[in-house]
Amino acid sequence: MPDAAAALARNRSLWTIVNSEFTDEDAHRAWAAEEITWGLFGVPESDLRVLGDVAGLDVIELGCGTAYLCAQLARQGARPVGLDLTPAQLATAGRCQERFGLAFPLVEADAEDVPLPDASFDLVVSEYGASVWCEPERWVAEAARLLRPSGRLVFLTNSVLATLCVPEAEGHAEERLLRPQRALHRVEWPGGGVEFHLSHGDWIRVLRANGLVVEALHELYAPADAENHGYYDIVTAQWAGQWPAEDLWVAHLTP
Ligand SMILES: C[S@@+](CC[C@H](N)C(=O)[O-])C[C@H]1O[C@@H](n2cnc3c(N)ncnc32)[C@H](O)[C@@H]1O
């Protein structure tokens, strides 16, 4: 199987397993949440204000998983579309739509090759979706193609520092560099999926090459009272209280 097809198959299998172990069960809680929060330690959107007023906007989430972010955006008056590669994740999203009485399109597709027209969205979001699991040169190009002029791209991914400090055999980030930054880009985990991580300089290069202007890079720390995440063991709350666990990028397409 060529590399790209093999990565898709591995990631789809991984997320089918994660759905059965965690995300399906957690979806009800995530859909019921009263406010949008970002990342493993729930930094409130009201503190960061990266999304702005979304009422009336056409929004696509690339790698929506169980689509709880889409649900929050729909409640705020946006018209979201949730796109994901993994049928099990979308099945959970569909079940939650019925339970919560919210309807929006769910598309099963690869975020590197989106079957939707150019310039059809005002906002593209990705919360640990395409932003981690897709080849940056390809999904950012798709995001730029899907955006209308001046449209915005907001995405969350692991911080560069956390990625450099996580052991190759997985487990929590340590307090030392365990991986050369030159070895970033395609990162494979034993028994896991295929992730893509760039340095900050490389993200800026890819964004600019696709006509996107960086507005902000928020480096997310865990709040003082944060507890370790119950399922994802990337960083502890203690680690993330000292170093940023996640990078939240905000950019817009040139008018
Ligand atoms: C961590 S979840 C993101 C959803 C949610 N925001 C969350 O944090 O749980 C990652 C999602 O990316 C999806 N994904 C992985 N590769 C993808 C691809 N090539 N195209 C679209 N979605 C993809 C997976 O199926 C999975 O549902």
Side-chain angles (χ1 to χ4, degrees):
M1 211 188 290
D3 255 16
L8 279 188
R10 268 178 72 173
N11 287 344
R12 193 186 287 108
S13 312
L14 173 73
W15 282 99
T16 305
I17 294 168
V18 177
N19 179 269
S20 69
E21 289 180 349
F22 174 66
T23 58
D24 182 68
E25 195 181 318
D26 189 56
H28 187 270
R29 178 206 59 79
W31 271 67
E34 281 178 10
E35 64 169 341
I36 295 176
T37 60
W38 292 102
L40 290 176
F41 303 105
V43 180
E45 161 65 11
S46 53
D47 287 356
L48 299 169
R49 300 191 181 281
V50 294
L51 294 170
D53 181 4
V54 297
L57 299 187
D58 292 306
V59 184
I60 185 163
E61 184 177 5
L62 298 178
C64 65
T66 59
Y68 55 81
L69 178 55
C70 286
Q72 296 277 8
L73 295 169
R75 288 191 193 107
Q76 293 183 15
R79 290 183 294 272
V81 172
L83 178 143
D84 202 277
L85 180 71
T86 306
Q89 293 277 75
L90 293 175
T92 302
R95 199 189 67 232
C96 288
Q97 287 191 334
E98 282 177 25
R99 187 181 296 177
F100 286 84
L102 271 178
F104 48 83
L106 295 170
V107 178
E108 183 187 326
D110 175 8
E112 295 182 10
D113 186 15
V114 176
L116 293 170
D118 297 359
S120 42
F121 293 94
D122 306 297
L123 174 64
V124 174
V125 291
S126 185
E127 186 209 22
Y128 277 125
S131 50
V132 172
W133 303 97
C134 293
E135 171 71 58
E137 279 81 359
R138 294 185 63 117
W139 81 263
V140 172
E142 279 297 75
R145 180 185 71 75
L146 292 164
L147 281 172
R148 299 182 176 124
S150 303
R152 302 176 78 223
L153 170 63
V154 175
F155 66 96
L156 181 77
T157 185
N158 304 99
S159 72
V160 178
L161 194 54
T163 308
L164 296 176
C165 293
V166 171
E168 297 228 354
E170 291 195 84
H172 290 120
E174 298 184 9
E175 295 191 7
R176 61 198 177 103
L177 300 171
L178 295 171
R179 184 187 287 277
Q181 186 160 314
R182 282 215 162 145
L184 289 188
H185 197 91
R186 185 183 166 112
V187 177
E188 300 193 28
W189 301 102
V194 181
E195 299 184 4
F196 296 87
H197 296 282
L198 298 184
S199 66
H200 291 159
D202 280 344
W203 275 120
I204 291 169
R205 176 182 56 74
V206 171
L207 291 165
R208 286 178 60 98
N210 286 285
L212 289 150
V213 178
V214 175
E215 290 176 21
L217 165 58
H218 298 273
E219 297 176 294
L220 304 192
Y221 294 81
D225 57 353
E227 294 181 0
N228 288 352
H229 194 276
Y231 182 79
Y232 299 115
D233 60 356
I234 304 162
V235 292
T236 61
Q238 199 211 7
W239 191 100
Q242 301 176 83
W243 297 283
E246 287 143 333
D247 289 341
L248 179 59
W249 288 88
V250 184
H252 65 264
L253 196 62
T254 42

